[in-house]
Amino acid sequence: MTAVKWGRRARSASSADPDTDGLVDPDALPGHLGQTHAPVGLQRSLRNLLDQYQLHVHPRPPGSIAVASALSGEGTTPVSQALARLLAAEFGASVCWIDGGWLDPVRQRTWDPSMVDLARMLRDQSALESAFRQAPDLPHLTSLRPGPVARANRHALAESDEFGQLLTILADEFDHVVLDIPPLLGNAEGLPLLRRSDAFLLVVRFRTASEGQIGRALDLARPVENLGVLLTDYRPAAPTSVTRWIRS
Amino acid sequence: MAAVGADLDSMVAAPSRGRVFWIRFVDNVARRKWWFVLPVLMVGGLGARQIQQSTPVYESTAVLSAAWNPLVTAPDIRGVTTEYEDVAADTAGRALYERVLTDRFMRDVAERAGFGDAGGDTFLLQLIRGSLYIRSDGDRLVTVSAAWNDPVVAQAITDATVSEFGEYLAETVANDNLQAAEFHRLVAEDARAAVDAAQAEYDAYRATLPDLILDDVSSTAERAQLRRLADELERAANELAEAQASVDASVIAARQAQVQATRAIQVIDEPTLPTQPLGGLRSDVVVLIGFVVLGILIAIGAALVTTLLGKSIVCPEQLLAYEGVSRVTVVGDVGGTSAGAGSGGDHGHPSTPPRPAADPDREGVPA
């Protein structure tokens, strides 16, 4: 793949009117960052997580962060989008959010087939540049959503050197890269993306995954540093005073 | 929904498994509280139904006074202490209990109590035996109680038991004397026969002699023979008198022993007709509480088992237990699934995310 200059050039290209380049209106795409309004609680939790990381590990958040879960339906997409938004808005960093849905067979059934697939992006720089979308309210925030890939090619594409170079370039061009990767259990295609990241954030939904499943997911991600675990949909039934007393 | 990270800031690393278990337990109980209340209500309802359907039991009680045990000869104890000697109430109660264990005694009790001929009905005898309760109170008092669902029958059983025991005592203590009287009666019969024989022999010899005045009997031998037969007759008569006296003495002794037996164990309180069944409101409440406690124990057991079997993540402490995980934060609904749009508002209203679509790739993911 030809080395190209990304970053500002890519962002400036994506700020053009998306209707003129023949692609589907990105506002109509589900999960577009411009349409995502992260709940205040989610922002607060992610901020708390990053604060703890900065306090105890490193003053700067990791360059590339993979947001993963053990099972599907845990809410990795809104969490990864909120994380990207948080890094862009509050840390003032340039962030690229990459959707790993092209590795997820479930999401691929709901996608528009006119979207540019990753293989084409890796071959054609103009196609790659057109795939970037900038958040209208945050100029530092950019999203990249590759289109569907044939099942037989997914793993090879994820393991390919070209894709690795793309991630490297993105990591150089952006302060942070946030990857939304498919569930770790039952889908091995997400592991190459996870292992190319500097750290990963595990999303666990309350009362969904079992302890064994979480353990296996953590074992699969073991070489990669754990940024933290986000427990979502947390709705304990026990009175807070009782649990607080037990914890004390 | 606001994040609860503040709670996590105070958490220590590596929480104890016990603490995690109790957090999970409390969450499980709070989440399924009505499922755990259900067994308490059901078992409590069973208890109430049990109370409602239970047959009232009436108890009739008689109190006996035992001065001494007429069946046991008082030991001749001189110069030693008598610390371990049984008191009269204990021995009398034990004697009565031993009689109750015999079917012969229970048949007599059943017949006297109005059950008719219960000789072959061992089940009925066992029921009547089970209804009796005997205990000693102090040194002299023995309490005999019978419980039945009919107050009249309860009184009859108690009365029959006390009466039959009294008759048994009377028969037992007089038995030796009665046997002695029978023996002496047989001796008296033999003696009477001997008297009759002697009389007959005397009369027969006297009839062979001429009509003479005894002093005029010419032969000394005839006079001696007559005197000898008279002596024989007198001796037989004396033996008869002695035997008769022995019979009378034995009968008197038997009657005396019977009187003493009745004095040894006397009825102080006759068995009364009960008007109120056993238990009452207090007993019903105790039974109901017992059932409710049983229901609570079942509910607690079910809660413990379901908590132990549950393996899902219900508290952040479970995640901190994994190696490599040192930061955990919680949040309410983040909105949407990995396949859908985020739908949470800025005001943080949690929205129930749609259920994830069936993922064939997920099949086979071990639980």
Side-chain angles (χ1 to χ4, degrees), chain A residues 27 29 50 54 66-67 71 101 127 129 154 171 192 196 198 206 228:
Chain A
D27 289 342
L29 295 175
L50 290 174
Q54 288 180 286
V67 180
L71 305 175
E129 290 178 356
R154 284 180 215 155
R196 292 176 192 273
D198 296 329
F206 182 62

Side-chain angles (χ1 to χ4, degrees), chain A residues 113-145:
Chain A
S114 65
M115 293 173 66
V116 181
D117 66 285
L118 184 61
R120 183 180 161 194
M121 287 184 191
L122 295 177
R123 292 192 305 268
D124 185 357
Q125 181 179 345
S126 61
L128 178 60
E129 290 178 356
S130 64
F132 284 101
R133 293 288 181 269
Q134 194 172 16
D137 57 333
L138 289 174
H140 299 291
L141 182 57
T142 307
S143 67
L144 177 62
R145 303 191 73 230

Side-chain angles (χ1 to χ4, degrees), chain A residues 9 17 22 29 41 43 51 57 82 89-90 96 100 105 142 147 161 163 167-168 188 195 204 209 215 225:
Chain A
R9 181 178 175 186
D17 186 356
L29 295 175
Q43 294 179 20
D51 288 344
V57 182
E90 298 194 13
C96 179
T142 307
D161 294 335
F163 186 65
L167 292 179
T168 304
R195 288 180 182 150
V204 177
E225 179 186 13

Side-chain angles (χ1 to χ4, degrees), chain A:
Chain A
M1 188 176 92
T2 307
V4 295
K5 292 185 179 177
W6 300 101
R8 293 188 185 82
R9 181 178 175 186
R11 288 196 292 275
S12 63
S14 64
S15 63
D17 186 356
D19 288 335
T20 61
D21 56 12
L23 295 177
V24 177
D25 184 359
D27 289 342
L29 295 175
H32 187 253
L33 290 173
Q35 287 185 320
T36 301
H37 302 285
V40 175
L42 177 58
Q43 294 179 20
R44 193 178 305 159
S45 296
L46 291 173
R47 188 182 306 114
N48 183 30
L49 209 61
L50 290 174
D51 288 344
Q52 291 185 39
Y53 181 85
Q54 288 180 286
L55 184 64
H56 297 289
V57 182
H58 196 276
R60 188 174 176 275
S64 58
I65 303 171
V67 180
S69 64
L71 305 175
S72 62
E74 302 281 272
T76 53
T77 299
V79 170
S80 61
Q81 291 175 354
L83 178 62
R85 176 173 290 278
L86 179 70
L87 290 169
E90 298 194 13
F91 287 75
S94 58
V95 182
C96 179
W97 177 78
I98 301 176
D99 185 13
W102 54 278
L103 292 167
D104 189 344
V106 173
R107 277 194 277 175
Q108 291 208 2
R109 286 198 286 270
T110 63
W111 282 10
D112 189 335
S114 65
M115 293 173 66
V116 181
D117 66 285
L118 184 61
R120 183 180 161 194
M121 287 184 191
L122 295 177
R123 292 192 305 268
D124 185 357
Q125 181 179 345
S126 61
L128 178 60
E129 290 178 356
S130 64
F132 284 101
R133 293 288 181 269
Q134 194 172 16
D137 57 333
L138 289 174
H140 299 291
L141 182 57
T142 307
S143 67
L144 177 62
R145 303 191 73 230
V149 174
R151 188 185 184 93
N153 300 331
R154 284 180 215 155
H155 190 76
L157 204 57
E159 294 272 14
S160 65
D161 294 335
E162 287 81 2
F163 186 65
Q165 290 177 14
L166 172 62
L167 292 179
T168 304
I169 292 172
L170 291 176
D172 291 337
E173 289 294 325
F174 293 92
D175 295 328
H176 301 285
V177 174
V178 179
L179 296 143
D180 176 18
I181 67 174
L184 299 177
L185 298 183
N187 186 352
E189 283 89 5
L191 285 177
L193 264 66
L194 176 70
R195 288 180 182 150
R196 292 176 192 273
S197 307
D198 296 329
F200 78 100
L201 170 65
L202 185 67
V203 179
V204 177
R205 174 164 284 189
F206 182 62
R207 295 180 61 86
T208 303
S210 68
E211 293 177 340
Q213 289 171 329
I214 301 299
R216 275 190 290 276
L218 290 171
D219 287 340
L220 287 172
R222 191 162 298 280
V224 183
E225 179 186 13
N226 178 245
L227 177 65
V229 179
L230 179 66
L231 182 60
T232 66
D233 202 14
Y234 184 61
R235 286 177 289 192
T240 309
S241 56
V242 175
T243 54
R244 192 169 295 170
W245 175 77
I246 296 174
R247 288 188 175 108
S248 65

Side-chain angles (χ1 to χ4, degrees), chain A residues 37 40 45 105 211 227 247, chain B residues 311 317-318 322 330 346 361:
Chain A
H37 302 285
V40 175
S45 296
E211 293 177 340
L227 177 65
R247 288 188 175 108
Chain B
K311 297 298 179 187
E317 286 83 354
Q318 289 177 269
Y322 290 102
V330 302
D346 286 335
D361 287 350

Side-chain angles (χ1 to χ4, degrees), chain B residues 284-352:
Chain B
D284 292 345
V285 170
V286 170
V287 169
L288 185 62
I289 290 175
F291 273 86
V292 169
V293 169
L294 177 63
I296 291 173
L297 291 176
I298 292 174
I300 292 175
L304 288 171
V305 170
T306 51
T307 303
L308 285 170
L309 293 178
K311 297 298 179 187
S312 60
I313 303 297
V314 298
C315 65
E317 286 83 354
Q318 289 177 269
L319 298 168
L320 283 173
Y322 290 102
E323 185 182 350
V325 175
S326 56
R327 288 169 293 279
V328 176
T329 187
V330 302
V331 68
D333 182 25
V334 301
T337 65
S338 56
S343 57
D346 286 335
H347 49 279
H349 276 187
S351 60
T352 304

Side-chain angles (χ1 to χ4, degrees), chain B residues 74-356:
Chain B
D76 183 16
I77 301 174
R78 281 176 278 183
V80 296
T81 58
T82 59
E83 293 175 351
Y84 301 105
E85 180 183 357
D86 273 341
V87 296
D90 289 340
T91 55
R94 193 159 49 243
L96 175 56
Y97 176 71
E98 288 171 356
R99 293 304 302 165
V100 169
L101 292 179
T102 62
D103 284 351
R104 179 178 174 181
F105 181 80
M106 293 312 301
R107 277 195 291 270
D108 295 337
V109 168
E111 190 172 349
R112 186 188 281 261
F115 285 94
D117 185 12
D121 192 348
T122 55
F123 179 70
L124 177 62
L125 295 182
Q126 196 65 22
L127 272 180
I128 298 173
R129 182 178 290 121
S131 71
L132 286 170
Y133 178 65
I134 301 161
R135 74 170 189 270
S136 59
D137 293 327
D139 292 347
R140 292 179 180 276
L141 295 182
V142 177
T143 303
V144 180
S145 304
W148 206 262
N149 54 9
D150 187 338
V152 175
V153 174
Q155 182 189 29
I157 292 175
T158 307
D159 184 64
T161 303
V162 172
S163 302
E164 285 294 328
F165 184 63
E167 289 184 8
Y168 160 75
L169 287 179
E171 286 178 13
T172 305
V173 298
N175 191 40
D176 290 346
N177 291 312
L178 291 176
Q179 287 184 355
E182 185 66 23
F183 170 77
H184 290 297
R185 195 170 290 117
L186 293 175
V187 171
E189 286 181 3
D190 293 340
R192 184 176 299 284
V195 167
D196 292 343
Q199 183 71 49
E201 189 176 355
Y202 179 83
D203 292 342
Y205 185 75
R206 182 71 179 77
T208 60
L209 296 177
D211 189 14
L212 300 172
I213 301 173
L214 283 175
D215 291 339
D216 293 337
V217 172
S218 60
S219 167
T220 305
E222 290 174 346
R223 193 165 51 245
Q225 177 66 9
L226 203 62
R227 188 166 300 281
R228 187 185 65 77
L229 292 176
D231 290 342
E232 282 285 329
L233 179 60
E234 186 178 352
R235 189 179 56 77
N238 289 337
E239 288 180 356
L240 176 61
E242 287 178 2
Q244 286 282 4
S246 296
V247 170
D248 293 340
S250 297
V251 170
I252 291 171
R255 289 181 181 172
Q256 191 174 11
Q258 289 175 347
V259 170
Q260 285 182 344
T262 57
R263 287 179 181 175
I265 296 181
Q266 295 179 328
V267 177
I268 295 180
D269 293 334
E270 297 283 343
T272 56
L273 182 68
T275 56
Q276 293 290 336
L278 289 177
L281 179 63
R282 182 177 178 181
S283 173
D284 292 345
V285 170
V286 170
V287 169
L288 185 62
I289 290 175
F291 273 86
V292 169
V293 169
L294 177 63
I296 291 173
L297 291 176
I298 292 174
I300 292 175
L304 288 171
V305 170
T306 51
T307 303
L308 285 170
L309 293 178
K311 297 298 179 187
S312 60
I313 303 297
V314 298
C315 65
E317 286 83 354
Q318 289 177 269
L319 298 168
L320 283 173
Y322 290 102
E323 185 182 350
V325 175
S326 56
R327 288 169 293 279
V328 176
T329 187
V330 302
V331 68
D333 182 25
V334 301
T337 65
S338 56
S343 57
D346 286 335
H347 49 279
H349 276 187
S351 60
T352 304
R355 300 295 297 173

